[in-house]
Every structure is written in structure tokens, then in C-alpha cells.
Amino acid sequence: MAYEFSNLYRPVHPKSTPEPKQQKLQITHISPDKDVLIVKHLTEKGGFRPLTRAVRCIRASSLGAECDSDLWLSIQGYEPRFSVDVLNIFDVGTAMEPFILSWMQDQLEWEVHANSRDEEGVIIAVSGGLITGHIDAIARNRTITGDAWAICDAKTMNINNYEKWGREGTEVSKPNYDVQLETYAYAYSRFLDLRYKALTAMNKNNSSFSVEVTDRNQSRWEEVIRPKAERFFKSDLFIPQKMGGADGIQASRCDLCARRYICVEAARALTTGKVPAGKRNPSFARVPPLSDNGDILQVLANVYELYDRNMNLILPGMSLQ
């Protein structure tokens, strides 16, 4: 009898299914000023992609990006084009996240509440747009943080980055990670006693891992991070990068940029006003900002099938009870 492969299957990439266009979203927590929302994605593989088409959004994980051009283009909905090698690196990080968080819990005795399926999301309304994202976990260790909580992010690093991070700390060696943590810490501090940021990193070369805990810095959010987001949200014109390829200065990392394909066109259009026939000018904004008197609930109700924490449907024009 010929072998029939009856007990085997073809591997399927965990994220091979695209994010659905029609999604259900539940608001589980909302701050008194209605500027910060904690939400639950009720649709499998749901996310914030529908929202990015309706209003200017920045992912918290992108807010600390070095390149101004890349950040502006992401707000305007230009998708990154990553190489296969880079996508593989992302896959490894995603696959290892639950292991790293479980090691933190089982080996270092942290109390960890994980968001491994990205079911819970956060939305922060600032002037001109929305900051969105998904935390990895909230955690605490009685010896280190007492009863207070820490926002936690799990990362994988090669040995060089891991050792540099160990010497210099997150704020110096990985400032983009620190911005992400600080943003999430601000959001969740509106709802619980959250005073710390915890970056848990694994060395991909030998699987060693460690945790760095730092105090959250409210003034950094108010004086640096929030103003940066608002500056980008309010810009209707492409922002050339001062030290990169967008203004004609070549830099090696520009060659690796996932939005280089459109950045070059946007920089040329901004400088010369020339756009290929039949194409939209990429140096002009194409996603509307959040109006100064914009109601975030109405934006969400127009994009999602929206529910409150008691699963009552919220239609456009309605408000939370």
C-alpha cells in the first residue's frame, strides 16, 4: 500500500490570512476625557487597518522611528515592502514572544498577563490623529515593582544588540522601544496603578534573556512623544528626512527602507512638482486628520461594528452611556 500522508499536513503561515475589511470592535475601558480607549478585537485576526483608512494613525511601535519621511508616509497609508529576510525576522520574534513571557513568569517569578493574540488594543487620541497599538503584557514582581504594574514588551535580539542593550539600557540603545513602552504606559496608567516599563529581551544566539525595569516618565510623554505625534498628524505635506535619502543625502539604511519605493517619488514631487502621469502626488496628504472637535467614538462607529463593554451596539450618532 502506498504511503498516503494521512497524518501529515502542509504548513500554514500563522499570519497568512489578511486582516478582514469588516470587523467588530468592543470598547472595554474609556478614560473620563475619552482620549484613551482600551478595546477588544471581536473579529478573528482583527486589527486597526480599517481605522487607518479613515483617519490619520500612528502605530505606537512606529512612533520612535528615526526617519521622519518613513513615519509621515506610514500615516498616509503607504504600506511597507519588507524583504523576505526581514519578514522572517519578524516571524521569529512573534513566535518567541509567548515563550519569553512564560520564562519571565516561571523562571523570574513575575505575575504576567499576556496579550499574545493581540486581542486587546489601545487607542490614544491626540490633536490631529490617533495612536494605536497592542501591548505584549502587563506584569509585576513584588520584589521589584511592589503592587504597582509595569507595561511589558518582549523582544528578540542578536548577540551584538543584546550585549549593547545590556550595557546601555533601552532608552539609549533602543530608543524606539522606549517610546513604544512610554506611550503604552501613559495609556494604561489611566486605568490602573502602572508606574514602570519592563523590556524583556532574549539573545537569539544562546536563548539567554533578561528584564530591564525603568520608571515611566510622564513628562517625556507630554513634552516629547505627544508633540512629535501631533506635528506629524498636522502636516499635510511630505516631511523630508534631514539625514537620509529623501533630501538627496544618501545613507546606507535608506537602501534597506521598506518605503523607499514611495519616499523617492514623494521627495522628487515635493522638490520639482513633477508627478508621473496618472499618479497621485505622494507629497500631498491623502488621509484626513482627526478634527479638533472630532468624536473618536463616531470615527470608530463609522469604521467598525462597535460595541460597548456590555455588548450594546454603538451606532453613528450615539454616545456611551
Side-chain angles (χ1 to χ4, degrees):
M1 181 178 177
Y3 187 74
E4 297 179 350
F5 296 95
S6 57
N7 297 320
L8 306 180
Y9 59 91
R10 291 184 178 274
V12 177
H13 192 284
K15 292 188 175 181
S16 59
T17 305
E19 190 174 316
K21 292 183 179 180
Q22 302 297 324
Q23 298 185 26
K24 298 179 181 180
L25 190 73
Q26 181 185 20
I27 298 172
T28 59
H29 299 80
I30 185 167
S31 62
D33 56 12
K34 297 184 179 180
D35 283 346
V36 181
L37 279 66
I38 306 299
V39 299
K40 180 179 180 180
H41 298 287
L42 301 177
T43 303
E44 186 177 3
K45 297 186 182 296
F48 291 122
R49 188 176 298 275
L51 189 59
T52 62
R53 302 186 188 101
V55 68
R56 294 178 190 177
C57 297
I58 296 177
R59 293 173 57 192
S61 58
S62 301
L63 192 49
E66 297 178 57
C67 180
D68 290 353
S69 301
D70 185 54
L71 186 53
W72 187 88
L73 291 167
S74 72
I75 293 170
Q76 300 306 324
Y78 291 101
E79 295 293 336
R81 296 178 181 174
F82 295 111
S83 68
V84 172
D85 289 343
V86 171
L87 290 173
N88 289 347
I89 292 173
F90 293 162
D91 283 349
V92 170
T94 300
M96 287 306 303
E97 177 188 314
F99 287 99
I100 296 170
L101 293 175
S102 68
W103 296 343
M104 185 180 179
Q105 173 183 265
D106 300 339
Q107 299 176 29
L108 301 183
E109 298 182 342
W110 281 74
E111 179 185 348
V112 180
H113 298 266
N115 188 34
S116 297
R117 293 182 296 175
D118 284 347
E119 191 174 273
E120 180 165 287
V122 60
I123 302 172
I124 306 170
V126 299
S127 182
L130 305 175
I131 301 171
T132 65
H134 303 90
I135 65 167
D136 285 351
I138 295 175
R140 65 182 173 185
N141 180 296
R142 300 289 181 177
T143 303
I144 300 171
T145 68
D147 291 329
W149 294 94
I151 206 75
C152 180
D153 207 45
K155 302 292 186 183
T156 58
M157 304 179 188
N158 62 39
I159 190 169
N160 292 331
N161 285 330
Y162 184 82
E163 291 180 349
K164 182 179 181 182
W165 169 68
R167 293 191 305 270
E168 300 177 355
T170 305
E171 187 172 349
V172 174
S173 68
K174 296 292 182 183
N176 54 323
Y177 294 168
D178 190 63
V179 169
Q180 179 182 4
L181 283 168
E182 197 71 68
T183 302
Y184 289 149
Y186 161 74
Y188 278 84
S189 70
R190 304 294 302 274
F191 305 104
L192 74 165
D193 183 15
L194 193 145
R195 306 178 195 175
Y196 303 98
K197 302 170 292 182
L199 186 70
T200 306
M202 186 199 79
N203 182 342
K204 289 188 284 189
N205 292 65
N206 59 19
S207 297
S208 60
F209 79 104
S210 58
V211 183
E212 182 198 53
V213 179
T214 55
D215 295 338
R216 64 174 293 258
N217 186 344
Q218 178 71 16
S219 64
R220 187 159 185 247
W221 159 257
E222 293 175 349
E223 299 170 10
V224 179
I225 300 174
R226 180 175 184 148
K228 177 182 179 179
E230 293 178 339
R231 176 170 68 89
F232 278 86
F233 282 143
K234 293 177 180 179
S235 177
D236 291 328
L237 278 179
F238 175 70
I239 301 177
Q241 175 66 10
K242 294 180 180 179
M243 297 185 64
D247 61 354
I249 301 173
Q250 294 301 313
S252 59
R253 63 182 59 189
C254 289
D255 293 331
L256 303 175
C257 178
R259 291 187 179 86
R260 180 178 174 82
Y261 74 97
I262 191 64
C263 184
V264 173
E265 290 186 15
R268 184 184 301 116
L270 184 68
T271 304
T272 67
K274 296 180 180 179
V275 181
K279 281 194 172 184
R280 182 189 181 100
N281 189 329
S283 68
F284 295 162
R286 64 177 189 176
V287 177
L290 182 69
S291 61
D292 289 339
N293 59 352
D295 187 336
I296 184 175
L297 292 179
Q298 301 312 309
V299 174
L300 294 175
N302 281 307
V303 174
Y304 295 96
E305 185 176 317
L306 188 65
Y307 296 88
D308 65 15
R309 64 185 307 162
N310 297 316
M311 286 304 294
N312 297 309
L313 182 64
I314 303 174
L315 297 172
M318 296 176 61
S319 60
L320 285 178
Q321 300 301 317

mmCIF file of all heavy atoms in Angstrom, residues 268-301:
data_model
loop_
_atom_site.group_PDB
_atom_site.id
_atom_site.type_symbol
_atom_site.label_atom_id
_atom_site.label_comp_id
_atom_site.label_asym_id
_atom_site.label_seq_id
_atom_site.Cartn_x
_atom_site.Cartn_y
_atom_site.Cartn_z
ATOM 1 N N ARG A 268 10.895 63.729 -4.763
ATOM 2 C CA ARG A 268 11.016 64.341 -6.086
ATOM 3 C C ARG A 268 9.828 65.263 -6.367
ATOM 4 O O ARG A 268 9.986 66.377 -6.866
ATOM 5 C CB ARG A 268 11.118 63.261 -7.156
ATOM 6 C CG ARG A 268 11.348 63.819 -8.576
ATOM 7 C CD ARG A 268 11.345 62.701 -9.617
ATOM 8 N NE ARG A 268 12.376 61.718 -9.346
ATOM 9 C CZ ARG A 268 12.135 60.445 -9.038
ATOM 10 N NH1 ARG A 268 10.884 60.004 -8.963
ATOM 11 N NH2 ARG A 268 13.127 59.621 -8.817
ATOM 12 N N ALA A 269 8.616 64.787 -6.011
ATOM 13 C CA ALA A 269 7.413 65.598 -6.243
ATOM 14 C C ALA A 269 7.427 66.865 -5.404
ATOM 15 O O ALA A 269 7.017 67.933 -5.860
ATOM 16 C CB ALA A 269 6.171 64.768 -5.942
ATOM 17 N N LEU A 270 7.920 66.761 -4.164
ATOM 18 C CA LEU A 270 7.972 67.930 -3.294
ATOM 19 C C LEU A 270 8.954 68.966 -3.829
ATOM 20 O O LEU A 270 8.714 70.176 -3.751
ATOM 21 C CB LEU A 270 8.379 67.495 -1.878
ATOM 22 C CG LEU A 270 8.389 68.594 -0.816
ATOM 23 C CD1 LEU A 270 6.980 69.071 -0.522
ATOM 24 C CD2 LEU A 270 9.058 68.095 0.461
ATOM 25 N N THR A 271 10.068 68.484 -4.370
ATOM 26 C CA THR A 271 11.124 69.380 -4.848
ATOM 27 C C THR A 271 10.819 69.974 -6.217
ATOM 28 O O THR A 271 11.023 71.176 -6.453
ATOM 29 C CB THR A 271 12.469 68.626 -4.908
ATOM 30 O OG1 THR A 271 12.759 68.069 -3.621
ATOM 31 C CG2 THR A 271 13.597 69.560 -5.319
ATOM 32 N N THR A 272 10.319 69.147 -7.122
ATOM 33 C CA THR A 272 10.145 69.585 -8.515
ATOM 34 C C THR A 272 8.699 69.823 -8.909
ATOM 35 O O THR A 272 8.429 70.481 -9.923
ATOM 36 C CB THR A 272 10.733 68.526 -9.470
ATOM 37 O OG1 THR A 272 9.932 67.327 -9.391
ATOM 38 C CG2 THR A 272 12.169 68.208 -9.105
ATOM 39 N N GLY A 273 7.767 69.252 -8.143
ATOM 40 C CA GLY A 273 6.357 69.352 -8.506
ATOM 41 C C GLY A 273 5.954 68.398 -9.606
ATOM 42 O O GLY A 273 4.800 68.409 -10.053
ATOM 43 N N LYS A 274 6.882 67.541 -10.031
ATOM 44 C CA LYS A 274 6.599 66.616 -11.126
ATOM 45 C C LYS A 274 6.108 65.280 -10.580
ATOM 46 O O LYS A 274 6.692 64.710 -9.671
ATOM 47 C CB LYS A 274 7.854 66.394 -11.979
ATOM 48 C CG LYS A 274 8.334 67.654 -12.695
ATOM 49 C CD LYS A 274 9.579 67.371 -13.521
ATOM 50 C CE LYS A 274 10.055 68.635 -14.237
ATOM 51 N NZ LYS A 274 11.291 68.385 -15.031
ATOM 52 N N VAL A 275 5.011 64.808 -11.165
ATOM 53 C CA VAL A 275 4.412 63.531 -10.784
ATOM 54 C C VAL A 275 4.141 62.746 -12.061
ATOM 55 O O VAL A 275 3.651 63.315 -13.050
ATOM 56 C CB VAL A 275 3.091 63.744 -10.010
ATOM 57 C CG1 VAL A 275 2.485 62.415 -9.607
ATOM 58 C CG2 VAL A 275 3.322 64.629 -8.800
ATOM 59 N N PRO A 276 4.468 61.441 -12.080
ATOM 60 C CA PRO A 276 4.177 60.636 -13.276
ATOM 61 C C PRO A 276 2.706 60.732 -13.667
ATOM 62 O O PRO A 276 1.818 60.817 -12.806
ATOM 63 C CB PRO A 276 4.544 59.219 -12.831
ATOM 64 C CG PRO A 276 5.570 59.414 -11.759
ATOM 65 C CD PRO A 276 5.160 60.671 -11.044
ATOM 66 N N ALA A 277 2.451 60.746 -14.951
ATOM 67 C CA ALA A 277 1.080 60.873 -15.465
ATOM 68 C C ALA A 277 0.178 59.797 -14.881
ATOM 69 O O ALA A 277 0.542 58.626 -14.827
ATOM 70 C CB ALA A 277 1.099 60.779 -16.988
ATOM 71 N N GLY A 278 -1.006 60.218 -14.442
ATOM 72 C CA GLY A 278 -1.982 59.273 -13.919
ATOM 73 C C GLY A 278 -1.770 58.891 -12.468
ATOM 74 O O GLY A 278 -2.542 58.092 -11.918
ATOM 75 N N LYS A 279 -0.734 59.447 -11.808
ATOM 76 C CA LYS A 279 -0.456 59.103 -10.420
ATOM 77 C C LYS A 279 -0.808 60.262 -9.493
ATOM 78 O O LYS A 279 -0.700 61.432 -9.867
ATOM 79 C CB LYS A 279 1.024 58.736 -10.235
ATOM 80 C CG LYS A 279 1.388 57.340 -10.687
ATOM 81 C CD LYS A 279 2.755 56.949 -10.149
ATOM 82 C CE LYS A 279 3.069 55.496 -10.419
ATOM 83 N NZ LYS A 279 4.360 55.089 -9.810
ATOM 84 N N ARG A 280 -1.197 59.931 -8.294
ATOM 85 C CA ARG A 280 -1.476 60.926 -7.268
ATOM 86 C C ARG A 280 -0.154 61.467 -6.731
ATOM 87 O O ARG A 280 0.826 60.727 -6.596
ATOM 88 C CB ARG A 280 -2.273 60.277 -6.125
ATOM 89 C CG ARG A 280 -2.680 61.226 -5.014
ATOM 90 C CD ARG A 280 -3.251 60.455 -3.842
ATOM 91 N NE ARG A 280 -3.674 61.355 -2.780
ATOM 92 C CZ ARG A 280 -4.923 61.729 -2.565
ATOM 93 N NH1 ARG A 280 -5.883 61.261 -3.331
ATOM 94 N NH2 ARG A 280 -5.220 62.549 -1.578
ATOM 95 N N ASN A 281 -0.104 62.741 -6.398
ATOM 96 C CA ASN A 281 1.108 63.338 -5.859
ATOM 97 C C ASN A 281 1.369 62.775 -4.459
ATOM 98 O O ASN A 281 0.611 63.061 -3.516
ATOM 99 C CB ASN A 281 0.964 64.861 -5.796
ATOM 100 C CG ASN A 281 2.272 65.556 -5.455
ATOM 101 O OD1 ASN A 281 3.106 65.022 -4.740
ATOM 102 N ND2 ASN A 281 2.436 66.757 -5.969
ATOM 103 N N PRO A 282 2.427 61.981 -4.283
ATOM 104 C CA PRO A 282 2.661 61.350 -2.978
ATOM 105 C C PRO A 282 3.199 62.302 -1.920
ATOM 106 O O PRO A 282 3.348 61.906 -0.757
ATOM 107 C CB PRO A 282 3.689 60.266 -3.310
ATOM 108 C CG PRO A 282 4.421 60.792 -4.492
ATOM 109 C CD PRO A 282 3.415 61.569 -5.284
ATOM 110 N N SER A 283 3.486 63.552 -2.313
ATOM 111 C CA SER A 283 3.952 64.518 -1.311
ATOM 112 C C SER A 283 2.779 65.245 -0.649
ATOM 113 O O SER A 283 2.971 66.030 0.274
ATOM 114 C CB SER A 283 4.904 65.541 -1.938
ATOM 115 O OG SER A 283 4.223 66.383 -2.854
ATOM 116 N N PHE A 284 1.546 64.985 -1.120
ATOM 117 C CA PHE A 284 0.349 65.549 -0.514
ATOM 118 C C PHE A 284 -0.321 64.501 0.384
ATOM 119 O O PHE A 284 -0.363 63.316 0.039
ATOM 120 C CB PHE A 284 -0.660 66.002 -1.573
ATOM 121 C CG PHE A 284 -0.191 67.139 -2.437
ATOM 122 C CD1 PHE A 284 -0.818 67.401 -3.638
ATOM 123 C CD2 PHE A 284 0.863 67.947 -2.048
ATOM 124 C CE1 PHE A 284 -0.398 68.458 -4.452
ATOM 125 C CE2 PHE A 284 1.296 69.004 -2.836
ATOM 126 C CZ PHE A 284 0.667 69.256 -4.046
ATOM 127 N N ALA A 285 -0.863 64.938 1.499
ATOM 128 C CA ALA A 285 -1.562 64.026 2.404
ATOM 129 C C ALA A 285 -2.777 63.423 1.715
ATOM 130 O O ALA A 285 -3.451 64.086 0.924
ATOM 131 C CB ALA A 285 -1.989 64.766 3.663
ATOM 132 N N ARG A 286 -3.058 62.157 2.011
ATOM 133 C CA ARG A 286 -4.225 61.505 1.407
ATOM 134 C C ARG A 286 -5.180 60.920 2.442
ATOM 135 O O ARG A 286 -6.221 60.374 2.091
ATOM 136 C CB ARG A 286 -3.783 60.409 0.436
ATOM 137 C CG ARG A 286 -3.047 59.237 1.057
ATOM 138 C CD ARG A 286 -2.728 58.193 0.004
ATOM 139 N NE ARG A 286 -2.202 56.963 0.585
ATOM 140 C CZ ARG A 286 -1.917 55.873 -0.130
ATOM 141 N NH1 ARG A 286 -2.116 55.863 -1.434
ATOM 142 N NH2 ARG A 286 -1.451 54.799 0.470
ATOM 143 N N VAL A 287 -4.818 60.993 3.722
ATOM 144 C CA VAL A 287 -5.692 60.516 4.795
ATOM 145 C C VAL A 287 -6.093 61.719 5.639
ATOM 146 O O VAL A 287 -5.235 62.524 6.028
ATOM 147 C CB VAL A 287 -4.980 59.464 5.668
ATOM 148 C CG1 VAL A 287 -5.888 59.025 6.820
ATOM 149 C CG2 VAL A 287 -4.561 58.260 4.826
ATOM 150 N N PRO A 288 -7.386 61.902 5.936
ATOM 151 C CA PRO A 288 -7.826 63.081 6.691
ATOM 152 C C PRO A 288 -7.364 63.048 8.143
ATOM 153 O O PRO A 288 -7.262 61.977 8.751
ATOM 154 C CB PRO A 288 -9.356 63.015 6.594
ATOM 155 C CG PRO A 288 -9.654 61.571 6.379
ATOM 156 C CD PRO A 288 -8.522 61.035 5.553
ATOM 157 N N PRO A 289 -7.091 64.214 8.722
ATOM 158 C CA PRO A 289 -6.736 64.273 10.145
ATOM 159 C C PRO A 289 -7.978 64.138 11.011
ATOM 160 O O PRO A 289 -9.106 64.244 10.525
ATOM 161 C CB PRO A 289 -6.125 65.669 10.284
ATOM 162 C CG PRO A 289 -6.850 66.482 9.250
ATOM 163 C CD PRO A 289 -7.082 65.554 8.090
ATOM 164 N N LEU A 290 -7.757 63.896 12.281
ATOM 165 C CA LEU A 290 -8.845 63.929 13.252
ATOM 166 C C LEU A 290 -9.140 65.392 13.545
ATOM 167 O O LEU A 290 -8.246 66.146 13.945
ATOM 168 C CB LEU A 290 -8.435 63.204 14.540
ATOM 169 C CG LEU A 290 -9.483 63.112 15.656
ATOM 170 C CD1 LEU A 290 -10.630 62.193 15.243
ATOM 171 C CD2 LEU A 290 -8.837 62.601 16.944
ATOM 172 N N SER A 291 -10.365 65.823 13.313
ATOM 173 C CA SER A 291 -10.707 67.229 13.527
ATOM 174 C C SER A 291 -10.591 67.587 15.004
ATOM 175 O O SER A 291 -10.703 66.727 15.885
ATOM 176 C CB SER A 291 -12.128 67.518 13.029
ATOM 177 O OG SER A 291 -13.073 66.747 13.741
ATOM 178 N N ASP A 292 -10.383 68.879 15.279
ATOM 179 C CA ASP A 292 -10.171 69.325 16.651
ATOM 180 C C ASP A 292 -11.362 69.002 17.549
ATOM 181 O O ASP A 292 -11.202 68.770 18.742
ATOM 182 C CB ASP A 292 -9.895 70.829 16.674
ATOM 183 C CG ASP A 292 -8.531 71.159 16.087
ATOM 184 O OD1 ASP A 292 -7.669 70.265 16.043
ATOM 185 O OD2 ASP A 292 -8.334 72.308 15.662
ATOM 186 N N ASN A 293 -12.551 69.014 16.976
ATOM 187 C CA ASN A 293 -13.743 68.676 17.762
ATOM 188 C C ASN A 293 -14.259 67.282 17.405
ATOM 189 O O ASN A 293 -15.412 66.953 17.657
ATOM 190 C CB ASN A 293 -14.851 69.714 17.546
ATOM 191 C CG ASN A 293 -15.254 69.824 16.078
ATOM 192 O OD1 ASN A 293 -14.612 69.236 15.210
ATOM 193 N ND2 ASN A 293 -16.315 70.569 15.810
ATOM 194 N N GLY A 294 -13.370 66.479 16.795
ATOM 195 C CA GLY A 294 -13.773 65.143 16.366
ATOM 196 C C GLY A 294 -14.066 64.219 17.530
ATOM 197 O O GLY A 294 -13.345 64.216 18.534
ATOM 198 N N ASP A 295 -15.118 63.461 17.409
ATOM 199 C CA ASP A 295 -15.513 62.495 18.432
ATOM 200 C C ASP A 295 -14.964 61.136 18.019
ATOM 201 O O ASP A 295 -15.380 60.562 17.008
ATOM 202 C CB ASP A 295 -17.041 62.455 18.538
ATOM 203 C CG ASP A 295 -17.504 61.592 19.701
ATOM 204 O OD1 ASP A 295 -16.747 60.693 20.136
ATOM 205 O OD2 ASP A 295 -18.626 61.805 20.172
ATOM 206 N N ILE A 296 -14.031 60.623 18.797
ATOM 207 C CA ILE A 296 -13.390 59.354 18.456
ATOM 208 C C ILE A 296 -14.403 58.219 18.365
ATOM 209 O O ILE A 296 -14.279 57.309 17.543
ATOM 210 C CB ILE A 296 -12.265 59.022 19.467
ATOM 211 C CG1 ILE A 296 -11.530 57.731 19.045
ATOM 212 C CG2 ILE A 296 -12.800 58.896 20.861
ATOM 213 C CD1 ILE A 296 -10.351 57.420 19.909
ATOM 214 N N LEU A 297 -15.452 58.290 19.188
ATOM 215 C CA LEU A 297 -16.475 57.245 19.150
ATOM 216 C C LEU A 297 -17.185 57.220 17.798
ATOM 217 O O LEU A 297 -17.512 56.155 17.272
ATOM 218 C CB LEU A 297 -17.490 57.443 20.270
ATOM 219 C CG LEU A 297 -16.996 57.231 21.699
ATOM 220 C CD1 LEU A 297 -18.130 57.502 22.676
ATOM 221 C CD2 LEU A 297 -16.454 55.829 21.881
ATOM 222 N N GLN A 298 -17.432 58.407 17.240
ATOM 223 C CA GLN A 298 -18.110 58.469 15.945
ATOM 224 C C GLN A 298 -17.215 57.951 14.830
ATOM 225 O O GLN A 298 -17.685 57.298 13.895
ATOM 226 C CB GLN A 298 -18.546 59.912 15.657
ATOM 227 C CG GLN A 298 -19.484 60.488 16.697
ATOM 228 C CD GLN A 298 -20.646 59.543 17.034
ATOM 229 O OE1 GLN A 298 -21.333 59.060 16.134
ATOM 230 N NE2 GLN A 298 -20.848 59.287 18.315
ATOM 231 N N VAL A 299 -15.920 58.234 14.935
ATOM 232 C CA VAL A 299 -14.976 57.692 13.954
ATOM 233 C C VAL A 299 -14.995 56.170 13.998
ATOM 234 O O VAL A 299 -15.093 55.501 12.964
ATOM 235 C CB VAL A 299 -13.551 58.220 14.224
ATOM 236 C CG1 VAL A 299 -12.546 57.537 13.286
ATOM 237 C CG2 VAL A 299 -13.494 59.732 14.043
ATOM 238 N N LEU A 300 -14.940 55.617 15.189
ATOM 239 C CA LEU A 300 -14.932 54.159 15.337
ATOM 240 C C LEU A 300 -16.251 53.546 14.877
ATOM 241 O O LEU A 300 -16.265 52.491 14.232
ATOM 242 C CB LEU A 300 -14.662 53.775 16.796
ATOM 243 C CG LEU A 300 -13.281 54.123 17.346
ATOM 244 C CD1 LEU A 300 -13.203 53.790 18.830
ATOM 245 C CD2 LEU A 300 -12.187 53.384 16.593
ATOM 246 N N ALA A 301 -17.357 54.197 15.206
ATOM 247 C CA ALA A 301 -18.670 53.661 14.842
ATOM 248 C C ALA A 301 -18.888 53.657 13.336
ATOM 249 O O ALA A 301 -19.662 52.846 12.820
ATOM 250 C CB ALA A 301 -19.772 54.471 15.526
#
